[in-house]
Amino acid sequence: MEIAILLFDRLTALDAVGPYEVLSRMPDSTVKFVANEPGPKRNERGSLALVADYPLDQVSRPDIIVVPGGPGQSDLMNDEPVLNWIRQAHETSRWTTSVCTGSLILGAAGLLKGLKATSHWLAYDVLRSLGAEPTPERVVIEGKIITAAGVSAGIDMALTLVARECGDKFAQATQLAIEYDPQPPFDTGSPEKAPAEIVEGIRSRSRFAMQGGEERIRNKRK
Amino acid sequence: MEIAILLFDRLTALDAVGPYEVLSRMPDSTVKFVANEPGPKRNERGSLALVADYPLDQVSRPDIIVVPGGPGQSDLMNDEPVLNWIRQAHETSRWTTSVCTGSLILGAAGLLKGLKATSHWLAYDVLRSLGAEPTPERVVIEGKIITAAGVSAGIDMALTLVARECGDKFAQATQLAIEYDPQPPFDTGSPEKAPAEIVEGIRSRSRFAMQGGEERIRNKRK
């Protein structure tokens, strides 16, 4: 089982590393971190670099594709080599997945038209503009496409995938191996559960970034 | 707020990246990934490298220390430069933390004697041999030392720390920003909850690795 995880500058690291920690434990699996150009890719804060070991053209037929998100996603939505790699790899993949705003990249590649999908809760409008039907669920499965909600949701997505691919018992053992018995100190992990003032605070701070993404899409379409 | 996260070869990537994704969102914070020698550090599977940007001696007085775990922990337990860095940084830190078997490194540095602490559930015996009192809780706070259980527990640990340092509202907003509304597909994330056969399966497969760790400790003490 070959697993390709896409890296790019200004990604959100946990989007990639959460599913990695689960999927890399599948039997007979090989994970390859891929990018347009191999080398260290810095996250959106600049303080963490993950290394992409392979160029896209060396990993053309992965069994599983993982596309993480993060602010750098907006550049990738206009990056034809990346979008073409996703389209072609998706033709033969067993599973094509995304975490957080990684679904916007799948959408830009044209993979989500008419499908239910999820993303970071701040990105539903952009997701809709790409032809998908935003769905506020943590993990959304449409055929072989699995999209996950924001950042930490990639762990739940990957365990769901492993259960389908390797059976419930193996997925349960994986969950135990990474001691995934979450006990967050609060119950504010989704906009439905968090106090309204906290939701609005994040929404207003993020508006600028999100509008930037939408403008890039409009400019592309002109 | 300066946050130092220790990297080393054969670490478990999520141990480091989970708390990173939370702590790096603290206001006025700077995260520095440190190592004996800067450069890419490969995880225990070899397929993911995280880059350490700073040598230990350039980050001598961090406010927060994060020590992740992973099989490479066994080498660090005999690595005097690393243990000395931890001891000295701990003298002035606000918080000294570990995830998973990172607590064994804190223990080897002599920080956990007589204290309650946690670790990956497979490592309680080694933790006890280092003078700590193993405690099967997800996050254990003893003064300014916080130890977290296995792998994924670093996210809960970091949110707990952020709440103490920045207040509940900020921690709640951070939890919402990373959409940490965990919905694992199973309830098998701790040895108390998982079926006995799954627990025993992992325990027997890991015995060799754990015994290796214990032998290294015994050899060191001879």
Side-chain angles (χ1 to χ4, degrees):
Chain A
M1 185 80 63
E2 188 175 67
I3 301 159
I5 303 180
L6 183 67
L7 295 183
F8 49 90
D9 288 321
R10 299 195 300 127
L11 90 163
T12 296
L14 186 56
D15 291 17
V17 176
Y20 169 77
E21 203 61 65
V22 174
L23 299 177
S24 62
R25 291 162 195 264
M26 292 170 77
D28 304 318
S29 67
T30 306
V31 181
K32 296 181 175 176
F33 283 90
V34 301
N36 250 335
E37 293 186 16
K41 303 296 162 186
R42 294 234 160 232
N43 77 332
E44 75 271 51
R45 291 166 202 282
S47 46
L48 174 56
L50 310 179
V51 179
D53 290 320
Y54 297 87
L56 296 173
D57 59 10
Q58 277 186 26
V59 188
S60 53
R61 294 169 67 91
D63 299 294
I64 299 173
I65 305 165
V66 180
V67 179
Q73 141 276 126
S74 57
D75 287 334
L76 261 64
M77 289 172 70
N78 296 321
D79 186 323
E80 282 302 322
V82 166
L83 299 180
N84 278 332
W85 176 79
I86 290 173
R87 288 181 197 113
Q88 288 176 16
H90 177 63
E91 285 181 12
T92 51
S93 70
R94 291 175 66 86
W95 301 98
T96 300
T97 75
S98 66
V99 180
C100 197
T101 54
S103 59
L104 305 183
I105 305 173
L106 296 188
L111 267 55
L112 299 181
K113 288 205 168 68
L115 299 184
K116 291 184 181 178
T118 194
S119 192
H120 194 285
W121 58 275
L122 285 166
Y124 291 159
D125 289 347
V126 186
L127 186 61
R128 185 177 290 109
S129 77
L130 295 164
E133 186 185 327
T135 306
E137 290 169 17
R138 193 144 176 91
V139 176
V140 176
I141 306 178
E142 283 269 39
K144 70 177 187 179
I145 296 180
I146 314 183
T147 53
V151 194
S152 60
I155 300 172
D156 296 327
M157 180 277 284
L159 282 170
T160 303
L161 189 163
V162 167
R164 297 220 170 186
E165 194 62 49
C166 307
D168 284 1
K169 276 196 183 173
F170 187 85
Q172 289 166 353
T174 303
Q175 185 176 345
L176 178 59
I178 65 165
E179 212 161 339
Y180 186 46
D181 179 27
Q183 295 169 26
F186 308 103
D187 189 18
T188 60
S190 77
E192 292 77 27
K193 294 176 177 176
E197 62 172 324
I198 289 178
V199 176
E200 283 315 306
I202 293 182
R203 201 187 294 277
S204 61
R205 284 197 299 282
S206 75
R207 200 153 285 152
F208 178 76
M210 284 292 153
Q211 283 179 342
E214 287 163 4
E215 270 162 32
R216 283 173 207 240
I217 297 165
R218 276 196 294 275
N219 289 340
K220 186 190 169 191
R221 290 187 173 156
K222 274 177 190 165
Chain B
M1 186 79 64
E2 188 176 68
I3 301 159
I5 303 180
L6 183 67
L7 294 183
F8 49 90
D9 288 319
R10 299 195 300 130
L11 90 164
T12 296
L14 185 56
D15 290 17
V17 176
Y20 168 78
E21 202 62 63
V22 173
L23 299 176
S24 62
R25 291 162 195 264
M26 292 171 77
D28 303 319
S29 67
T30 307
V31 181
K32 295 180 175 175
F33 283 90
V34 302
N36 251 335
E37 294 186 17
K41 304 295 161 187
R42 295 236 159 231
N43 77 333
E44 76 270 50
R45 290 167 201 282
S47 46
L48 173 56
L50 310 180
V51 179
D53 290 321
Y54 298 87
L56 296 174
D57 60 9
Q58 277 186 26
V59 187
S60 53
R61 294 169 66 91
D63 299 293
I64 299 175
I65 305 164
V66 180
V67 179
Q73 141 276 124
S74 57
D75 287 335
L76 260 65
M77 289 172 70
N78 295 321
D79 187 324
E80 281 304 321
V82 166
L83 299 180
N84 278 331
W85 176 79
I86 290 173
R87 288 181 196 114
Q88 289 176 15
H90 177 62
E91 285 181 13
T92 52
S93 71
R94 291 175 65 85
W95 301 98
T96 300
T97 76
S98 66
V99 180
C100 198
T101 54
S103 59
L104 305 183
I105 305 173
L106 296 188
L111 267 54
L112 299 182
K113 289 206 167 67
L115 300 184
K116 290 183 182 179
T118 194
S119 192
H120 193 284
W121 59 274
L122 285 166
Y124 292 159
D125 289 345
V126 185
L127 185 61
R128 184 177 290 109
S129 77
L130 297 163
E133 185 184 328
T135 305
E137 290 168 19
R138 193 143 177 91
V139 176
V140 176
I141 305 178
E142 281 269 39
K144 70 176 187 179
I145 296 179
I146 314 183
T147 52
V151 194
S152 60
I155 301 171
D156 296 327
M157 180 277 285
L159 282 169
T160 303
L161 188 163
V162 167
R164 297 222 170 184
E165 194 62 47
C166 307
D168 285 2
K169 275 195 182 172
F170 188 85
Q172 290 166 353
T174 303
Q175 185 177 343
L176 178 59
I178 65 165
E179 213 161 337
Y180 185 46
D181 179 26
Q183 295 169 27
F186 307 104
D187 189 17
T188 60
S190 78
E192 292 77 27
K193 295 176 176 174
E197 62 172 323
I198 289 179
V199 177
E200 283 315 307
I202 293 181
R203 200 187 296 278
S204 61
R205 283 196 301 281
S206 75
R207 198 154 284 154
F208 178 76
M210 284 292 152
Q211 282 179 343
E214 286 162 5
E215 270 163 31
R216 283 173 206 239
I217 296 166
R218 276 195 296 274
N219 289 339
K220 186 189 168 191
R221 289 186 174 157
K222 276 177 190 166

